[in-house]
Amino acid sequence: IEQPTFPKITEMCVKMIRRVNDEEGIKKLVNETFQKLWFTPTPHHDKEAMTRKILNITDVVAACRDTGYDWFEQLLQNLLKSEEDASYKPVKKACTQLVDNLVEHILKYEESLSDSDNKGVNSGRLVACITTLFLFSKIRPQLMVKHAMTMQPYLTTKCSTQNDFMVICNVAKILELVVPLMEHPSETFLATIEEDLMKLIIKYGMTVVQHCVSCLGAVVNKVTQNYKFVWACFNRYYGALSKLKSQHQEDPNSTILTANKPALLRSLFTVGALCRHFDFDQEDFKGNSKVNIKDKVLELLMYFTKHSDEEVQTKAIIGLGFAFIQHPSLMFEQEVKTLYNSILSDKNCSVNLKIQVLKNLQTYLQEEDTRMQQADRDWKKVAKQEDLKEMGDISSGMSSSIMQLYLKQVLEAFFHTQSSVRHFALNVIALTLNQGLIHPVQCVPYLIAMGTDPEPSMRNKADQQLVEIDKKYAGFIHMKAVAGMKMSYQVQQAINTCPKDPVRGFRHDESSSALCSHLYSMIRGNRQHRRAFLISLLNLFDDTAKTEVNMLLYIADNLACFPYQTQEEPLFIMHHIDITLSVSGSNLLQSFKESMVKDKKKERKPSSDEETESDSNSGSESESEEEASKPRRLRKRVESDSDSDEENDINAVMKCLPENSAPLIEFANVSQGILLLLMLKQHLKNLCGFSDSKIQKYSPSESAKVYDKAINRKTGVHFHPKQTLDFLRSDMANSKITEEVKRSIVKQYLDFKLLMEHLDPDEEEEDGEVSASTNARNKAITSLLGGGSPKNNAAETEDDESDGEDRGGGTSGVRRR
């Protein structure tokens, strides 16, 4: 206001106006700012100020060409609504001034365009002015009524550039809104508009045809009732389609069809567009004929959806989408259901067709929404005299039934590799939920999954839907949280461009936050829900759950990176990891022992007695501690004497291995879940800086207040379960299981055995001091998670190869399914 010539004004306005839908305080500020800046009446003599205002508004509109104009409509609506009941209406007055001056400016630019020096600049200005007028017409069409005659000649603009097309489309949109409001428009004016529109429909491309047919619909249906004119146009394209169909039936490969392809595409699109705005089954159009036009059109368009050329298929589907807006009941036809559902669910179907089907559903829902809002406004006008019982809205029942038909396939489109398909699927679901056409609970897991999409706009939209559902239906999110996590893993698998790389559960940016962190932050507020959710996730690591290894890695990533706030959260997880370890670990060792060959077991006992059996037999803590430290020393330093000790032990178990290597592979596979839990516990311990005694003293039944302190997170602590990553990367389905690999698995088995023997005493003496057994256990864990020596790493990767084999081999067939 004070420095109107400052060059950054447009940019500043664009940034401010986008906040028009923020929380109340900001919204109020934005409204006040723009009321001062744009919507305060200007004194009549101050032409300069008016011109500045016009340029500023049109610059902002031009700058937002790509991002959409919702904000402008919202702003205008807010301001006009705020003064509805006031006697003095400054905003209304300012709008009238602005519209009148914009029209003057358009005429000025028109003159200067004939003077060709600065054509580009001015045609851009012209588009911005006309777009701004359209935005005003959309909110208050009455403002433009007196200017309709001035706008009409722009329909005859010669189209050579993108800007010319923009002018025509926006003028058509303005006239569509304004002509029906004119009182007694002249016959010649209306006839000229009809002819201009018809010429444009016959001559230009899709966007122009769409807007012109829409405008023609408003003029003919609401004002002139010149149905014969439209019927002639419809018959022209419908006849052309019928002819092309019979030619195609006679000889699908005929050259005539190739030559006529542009005519075919235009006819498919135009027939659909005309059917969207005119109901040709009315007597006004077809007279006394008994032919059912909508069924004929459906049959024609359906014929071309089976065409071999994808472009023809796409246009036919666009045409169908248009026809369904006028006659939604056609979507219940069996052939339409089959067509839509097969395109959406067929993995090999072209992306363009999928997107077009989703766009059709989206446009249908948007039209329904507009119709319902209009019906609502009309109802409010007469509500006082009417009886409420009569208001039954049949259309929402119809759209609800339609969405039930296609819902599953639309939701499944969330798992598509192309982000554009996911984008449109999400739009359709958001519209469906906002109109309350389906029960939201079935969408919750899919929305949770979409909340992990790499594109921020889609993540935010999905998260927003979840927040809305949570407000209305408490507990739904928690109820479907685990299913949502599993689905989010499927979405990530679909998006994963490099199949060799395991799917990870955190964002690969500086925040490295969990992909499902929004879900966790929604659940964490309720202690009971949070605990149930965490336990369900940890139960997936149980050996009986048979969860595939990559999914376990994905869930462990999320558990490692969730936005925990109080100490209670990670402590609760660690407490339950200990419980799971003691149960799953014992089962794992037991099944491995059982698979060993019985008669050789007797040979094994004496040799391994020293190393492993003695631990469980001897009660003395010190002796077991000595034993426990052995394998760790061996891994850390390759010393010849201790090495041979362990070698003997491994050899003893090696002798007992059965011929069939399946149990060995199964052990390596199942052990990944336990390894991940160990890694996760170590990670949380390092991240939050907890001591062993603190973890041991924790009891979930204590009052919440004890552990309500905030967490001090250490920076730079990353979750990197190397063994599982190696295991997944070297997924060698056909590799032979070598002696080396067997040896490394046996070594892992012995480390596990050691760990398990020291896990239980701890469980019993939770309140005691940190015992020798705890030290032994920590050493066994360090050994299991890799002590860092080269030897250890080599063993790891060999171990992986075996596991790779197991993924392809017989036993794990079960686990992959």
Side-chain angles (χ1 to χ4, degrees):
I1 292 172
E2 286 171 14
Q3 298 186 12
T5 52
F6 184 62
K8 294 263 185 202
I9 285 184
T10 307
E11 200 181 318
M12 285 152 57
C13 288
V14 170
K15 288 205 164 110
M16 282 191 294
I17 206 164
R18 287 199 183 137
R19 307 287 298 271
V20 72
N21 281 329
D22 263 15
E23 64 262 28
E24 281 308 310
I26 294 179
K27 199 168 159 178
K28 189 163 175 263
L29 259 176
V30 172
N31 288 343
E32 283 169 4
T33 307
F34 283 101
Q35 179 156 2
K36 260 191 205 146
L37 202 57
W38 291 351
F39 297 106
T40 307
T42 314
H44 284 294
H45 57 271
D46 195 350
K47 286 279 181 227
E48 199 183 319
M50 195 69 224
T51 308
R52 255 202 324 265
K53 203 191 274 192
I54 296 279
L55 291 179
N56 181 219
I57 295 178
T58 50
D59 281 342
V60 173
V61 168
C64 293
R65 187 166 160 176
D66 301 328
T67 51
Y69 305 113
D70 302 353
W71 48 264
F72 189 87
E73 296 167 28
Q74 194 60 52
L75 178 71
L76 249 184
Q77 259 166 338
N78 293 350
L79 292 174
L80 287 165
K81 202 172 181 181
S82 65
E83 59 173 34
E84 255 173 12
D85 304 324
S87 52
Y88 174 57
K89 301 188 173 179
V91 176
K92 195 175 169 190
K93 190 176 172 191
C95 286
T96 313
Q97 273 188 347
L98 285 169
V99 167
D100 296 349
N101 277 284
L102 277 164
V103 175
E104 273 175 38
H105 272 259
I106 290 175
L107 297 172
K108 252 191 240 161
Y109 291 133
E110 188 62 19
E111 284 163 25
S112 66
L113 277 179
S114 48
D115 170 29
S116 59
D117 294 343
N118 47 3
K119 215 168 189 166
V121 180
N122 279 335
S123 77
R125 280 258 176 237
L126 181 67
V127 173
C129 280
I130 291 185
T131 311
T132 313
L133 279 178
F134 162 62
L135 295 172
F136 275 112
S137 315
K138 210 170 165 184
I139 306 300
R140 279 283 187 279
Q142 298 84 352
L143 295 171
M144 275 299 289
V145 170
K146 61 181 179 187
H147 300 296
M149 310 279 279
T150 319
M151 300 312 293
Q152 176 264 323
Y154 288 93
L155 287 177
T156 55
T157 308
K158 298 248 181 323
C159 285
S160 51
T161 64
Q162 182 61 36
N163 280 344
D164 298 337
F165 286 111
M166 297 277 293
V167 167
I168 285 190
C169 292
N170 279 316
V171 170
K173 290 195 280 192
I174 291 172
L175 291 173
E176 177 185 342
L177 294 163
V178 174
V179 173
L181 300 177
M182 293 171 73
E183 286 179 22
H184 317 301
S186 78
E187 295 293 322
T188 45
F189 167 67
L190 294 171
T192 320
I193 286 188
E194 287 178 346
E195 278 162 34
D196 290 345
L197 290 171
M198 193 57 77
K199 282 178 196 155
L200 293 167
I201 290 168
I202 291 166
K203 192 170 172 189
Y204 291 116
M206 284 204 304
T207 325
V208 174
V209 170
Q210 214 172 328
H211 292 307
C212 290
V213 172
S214 185
C215 182
L216 192 63
V219 174
V220 172
N221 289 329
K222 295 178 183 168
V223 187
T224 64
Q225 269 88 42
N226 188 356
Y227 298 119
K228 296 256 183 316
F229 185 62
V230 179
W231 180 242
C233 174
F234 171 73
N235 273 323
R236 171 180 177 169
Y237 287 110
Y238 177 80
L241 269 189
S242 306
K243 193 172 162 194
L244 289 164
K245 176 187 169 185
S246 46
Q247 283 174 351
H248 186 261
Q249 280 169 323
E250 283 162 27
D251 174 15
N253 304 320
S254 113
T255 49
I256 305 174
L257 284 172
T258 326
N260 283 336
K261 186 179 160 185
L264 172 60
L265 296 177
R266 174 175 283 281
S267 302
L268 287 168
F269 186 85
T270 312
V271 164
L274 286 165
C275 286
R276 174 179 177 171
H277 295 285
F278 299 98
D279 181 0
F280 290 109
D281 281 313
Q282 287 176 357
E283 246 178 62
D284 297 324
F285 286 106
K286 63 176 186 182
N288 301 329
S289 162
K290 291 282 173 280
V291 182
N292 188 331
I293 304 284
K294 69 169 190 280
D295 293 349
K296 287 280 182 204
V297 170
L298 178 67
E299 187 190 328
L300 257 183
L301 292 173
M302 285 302 295
Y303 177 79
F304 286 105
T305 58
K306 300 174 184 64
H307 199 281
S308 55
D309 182 333
E310 188 188 304
E311 211 180 336
V312 175
Q313 286 180 299
T314 310
K315 282 286 186 296
I317 290 173
I318 293 176
L320 281 173
F322 286 156
F324 296 158
I325 291 172
Q326 178 71 256
H327 304 288
S329 57
L330 292 176
M331 281 196 256
F332 296 116
E333 295 289 332
Q334 191 51 52
E335 51 181 341
V336 175
K337 282 195 286 194
T338 313
L339 172 77
Y340 270 24
N341 284 338
S342 63
I343 287 176
L344 288 175
S345 52
D346 180 4
K347 292 269 186 294
N348 307 319
C349 188
S350 114
V351 173
N352 290 338
L353 295 181
K354 280 187 198 291
I355 290 177
Q356 196 48 58
V357 168
L358 290 167
K359 274 185 180 169
N360 282 1
L361 290 169
Q362 177 183 321
T363 315
Y364 164 69
L365 290 169
Q366 283 164 338
E367 285 286 311
E368 277 299 296
D369 197 33
T370 316
R371 242 163 37 81
M372 279 154 69
Q373 282 175 5
Q374 187 54 49
D376 203 37
R377 281 196 291 273
D378 298 346
W379 167 251
K380 278 188 182 138
K381 285 176 196 163
V382 295
K384 295 179 182 69
Q385 307 96 13
E386 296 281 339
D387 178 10
L388 261 179
K389 284 186 199 135
E390 292 168 14
M391 197 204 159
D393 189 2
I394 309 144
S395 65
S396 63
M398 170 85 83
S399 39
S400 175
S401 317
I402 287 169
M403 283 322 296
Q404 302 284 2
L405 281 183
Y406 301 109
L407 182 68
K408 187 170 188 309
Q409 282 71 16
V410 173
L411 287 169
E412 292 296 324
F414 281 4
F415 304 124
H416 200 277
T417 44
Q418 292 276 344
S419 73
S420 45
V421 176
R422 299 197 301 275
H423 170 79
F424 283 107
L426 183 59
N427 282 353
V428 172
I429 294 302
L431 283 164
T432 310
L433 287 170
N434 292 341
Q435 293 178 32
L437 302 178
I438 51 169
H439 196 289
V441 75
Q442 50 206 335
C443 298
V444 170
Y446 291 92
L447 289 169
I448 292 171
M450 276 308 275
T452 64
D453 196 282
E455 291 190 23
S457 59
M458 300 222 269
R459 282 206 296 272
N460 298 340
K461 193 165 189 173
D463 291 347
Q464 190 53 45
Q465 292 296 326
L466 285 173
V467 171
E468 291 299 317
I469 292 173
D470 197 42
K471 272 185 207 157
K472 289 182 195 151
Y473 310 93
F476 270 14
I477 309 294
H478 154 251
M479 191 161 74
K480 294 285 182 188
V482 179
M485 286 278 287
K486 288 181 179 172
M487 269 189 196
S488 68
Y489 169 68
Q490 283 173 278
V491 168
Q492 292 305 313
Q493 263 183 321
I495 295 167
N496 189 14
T497 43
C498 176
K500 279 194 175 164
D501 275 347
V503 173
R504 300 301 303 268
F506 57 83
R507 295 218 160 82
H508 298 280
D509 54 22
E510 62 282 355
S511 71
S512 64
S513 55
L515 288 178
C516 296
S517 55
H518 181 257
L519 171 68
Y520 182 76
S521 57
M522 287 180 77
I523 291 177
R524 72 165 293 285
N526 179 324
R527 187 179 183 200
Q528 197 182 346
H529 285 177
R530 177 180 76 225
R531 287 183 161 192
F533 173 58
L534 292 172
I535 288 177
S536 311
L537 291 184
L538 290 171
N539 284 346
L540 295 172
F541 290 84
D542 193 302
D543 56 327
T544 52
K546 297 270 184 276
T547 316
E548 66 167 295
V549 177
N550 196 346
M551 189 190 273
L552 290 180
L553 171 67
Y554 176 79
I555 288 171
D557 278 340
N558 272 292
L559 284 166
C561 304
F562 274 156
Y564 303 117
Q565 291 183 6
T566 60
Q567 293 184 356
E568 205 272 339
E569 298 162 58
L571 283 170
F572 180 79
I573 293 175
M574 289 148 99
H575 175 80
H576 276 275
I577 287 178
D578 281 344
I579 295 172
T580 311
L581 282 180
S582 64
V583 178
S584 289
S586 323
N587 294 350
L588 190 61
L589 294 181
Q590 192 54 38
S591 56
F592 190 80
K593 276 181 194 158
E594 282 166 9
S595 69
M596 286 183 186
V597 185
K598 291 283 182 287
D599 57 344
K600 291 190 180 174
K601 264 203 165 178
K602 293 188 184 72
E603 289 171 35
R604 172 177 166 270
K605 270 202 168 168
S607 65
S608 69
D609 214 34
E610 292 174 277
E611 177 103 28
T612 52
E613 298 295 304
S614 65
D615 298 350
S616 44
N617 298 342
S618 77
S620 107
E621 293 295 353
S622 61
E623 189 178 339
S624 60
E625 188 191 345
E626 255 173 55
E627 301 294 343
S629 59
K630 265 189 198 168
R632 179 162 185 252
R633 273 212 307 279
L634 296 172
R635 284 201 159 187
K636 285 280 196 194
R637 308 183 204 81
V638 187
E639 287 169 13
S640 55
D641 55 334
S642 52
D643 207 356
S644 58
D645 258 11
E646 193 186 45
E647 288 301 304
N648 290 341
D649 197 59
I650 290 177
N651 291 339
V653 180
M654 290 285 280
K655 282 179 194 164
C656 302
L657 291 181
E659 291 303 306
N660 172 15
S661 55
L664 204 60
I665 292 165
E666 182 64 8
F667 170 81
N669 208 355
V670 176
S671 66
Q672 292 303 323
I674 294 182
L675 276 174
L676 277 169
L677 286 181
L678 278 171
M679 278 297 291
L680 177 61
K681 185 176 170 188
Q682 287 301 103
H683 169 77
L684 292 173
K685 191 171 153 186
N686 299 341
L687 181 73
C688 309
F690 291 139
S691 64
D692 278 335
S693 61
K694 174 138 192 157
I695 299 168
Q696 235 125 46
K697 284 177 186 153
Y698 170 77
S699 156
S701 51
E702 269 188 75
S703 81
K705 289 195 175 64
V706 182
Y707 295 106
D708 251 358
K709 293 177 193 145
I711 293 177
N712 288 328
R713 283 170 181 271
K714 307 260 183 299
T715 49
V717 179
H718 295 296
F719 183 62
H720 183 72
K722 181 182 174 307
Q723 276 155 305
T724 307
L725 287 171
D726 290 345
F727 167 92
L728 288 165
R729 279 186 190 129
S730 58
D731 182 7
M732 300 183 183
N734 309 316
S735 65
K736 294 277 183 292
I737 206 169
T738 59
E739 281 302 300
E740 287 290 307
V741 172
K742 282 187 182 176
R743 186 167 283 275
S744 68
I745 296 180
V746 169
K747 195 168 178 187
Q748 203 182 17
Y749 160 71
L750 290 171
D751 277 335
F752 256 128
K753 196 163 180 300
L754 198 61
L755 173 70
M756 293 316 298
E757 281 151 8
H758 292 291
L759 210 56
D760 295 337
D762 267 4
E763 295 292 305
E764 288 150 28
E765 38 179 283
E766 272 182 13
D767 301 331
E769 287 304 301
V770 177
S771 60
S773 151
T774 306
N775 291 332
R777 181 175 69 166
N778 288 346
K779 284 172 183 171
I781 289 176
T782 313
S783 166
L784 262 176
L785 300 181
S789 75
K791 177 177 174 188
N792 163 46
N793 292 345
E796 293 312 333
T797 43
E798 286 156 13
D799 165 19
D800 297 343
E801 290 174 19
S802 69
D803 300 359
E805 206 223 305
D806 104 60
R807 294 291 292 275
T811 40
S812 80
V814 189
R815 127 189 272 96
R816 291 204 83 164
R817 269 199 297 277

